[in-house]
Amino acid sequence: MIVRPPKSTLGRSSAASDVYKKQGWRNFTSVLLRMNIKKIACICGDAGHIVTQNRLRGIFAAYEEAGIFMDESLLYTGAVYPSIVEKDVAKLLKKGVECILCLDDNICLGVINALNKNHVKIPGDVKVVSCYGGRLLANCYPPVTCLEFDIREIGGVASKKLFDAIHGNADYNKIILGYNVLIKDSKI
């Protein structure tokens, strides 16, 4: 099932797209909350990274818009090594989470491996979603629910804006780019 949320933007603040940062994660989390998933955990890498901060802002915004309290004890930062992800997953399983939001595909792969190692059924026992269904997760079973966007389009637009800026034709208007929330077997 594809849910088409509002578009996000590529702005002047960076050459990278905001497609899957705050807006994308707000919409993504909103979809999960509307599906009545109550105990949602989040595992992310370095909390100091701007991309991570934007994604977390989007998640918090979705909870706020839904009028639901977000249990911050289910938010785990610093998952920069597979061993940390594995420990975080073990703690979350003890807390009885229903769904794990993975803010990075490497983290998502670690979460899936940790769940499989603990004989946890995806999505029967725990649902798993990731920020981007890239090559790293392409062959995972079950297929991972994720945000989908056209990376070539993003790169092309960002490259053109950078090229124009280098040649004195800077255009700071935002360009609207789309994305899809792909609901796959890891969530159903």
Side-chain angles (χ1 to χ4, degrees), residues 39-50:
K39 217 165 184 183
I40 301 174
C42 180
I43 299 179
C44 60
D46 186 343
H49 287 168
I50 292 171

Side-chain angles (χ1 to χ4, degrees), residues 22-176:
K22 182 180 177 186
Q23 182 71 19
W25 273 93
R26 188 191 87 214
N27 292 329
F28 200 10
T29 305
S30 292
V31 168
L32 296 173
L33 293 171
R34 283 193 306 269
M35 295 175 130
N36 206 28
I37 299 172
K38 302 275 188 223
K39 217 165 184 183
I40 301 174
C42 180
I43 299 179
C44 60
D46 186 343
H49 287 168
I50 292 171
V51 171
T52 300
Q53 292 171 2
N54 284 331
R55 291 174 181 170
L56 290 173
R57 282 187 198 106
I59 293 167
F60 284 117
Y63 273 89
E64 186 177 322
E65 288 172 8
I68 299 171
F69 169 76
M70 181 178 174
D71 182 355
E72 291 188 43
S73 74
L74 300 178
L75 172 62
Y76 287 74
T77 61
V80 293
Y81 299 109
S83 59
I84 296 172
V85 173
E86 191 171 328
K87 289 176 186 174
D88 289 348
V89 168
K91 292 174 192 172
L92 290 170
L93 289 174
K94 289 178 184 174
K95 293 181 178 187
V97 298
E98 294 177 68
C99 181
I100 300 175
L101 299 176
C102 305
L103 270 63
D104 175 287
D105 283 0
N106 285 310
I107 291 170
C108 188
L109 193 57
V111 166
I112 291 168
N113 288 337
L115 292 172
N116 286 332
K117 185 176 179 179
N118 287 290
H119 309 288
V120 176
K121 293 180 182 130
I122 305 168
D125 300 325
V126 176
K127 294 152 185 39
V128 177
V129 298
S130 187
C131 67
Y132 170 59
R135 289 183 187 163
L136 188 62
L137 299 178
N139 296 315
C140 283
Y141 185 82
V144 177
T145 295
C146 60
L147 286 178
E148 175 191 64
F149 53 92
D150 187 340
I151 196 75
R152 286 193 175 116
E153 178 187 24
I154 293 167
V157 170
S159 297
K160 181 175 181 345
K161 288 183 94 46
L162 180 60
F163 181 83
D164 290 348
I166 289 170
H167 290 89
N169 299 319
D171 175 11
Y172 295 112
N173 293 316
K174 291 184 178 182
I175 295 176
I176 306 299

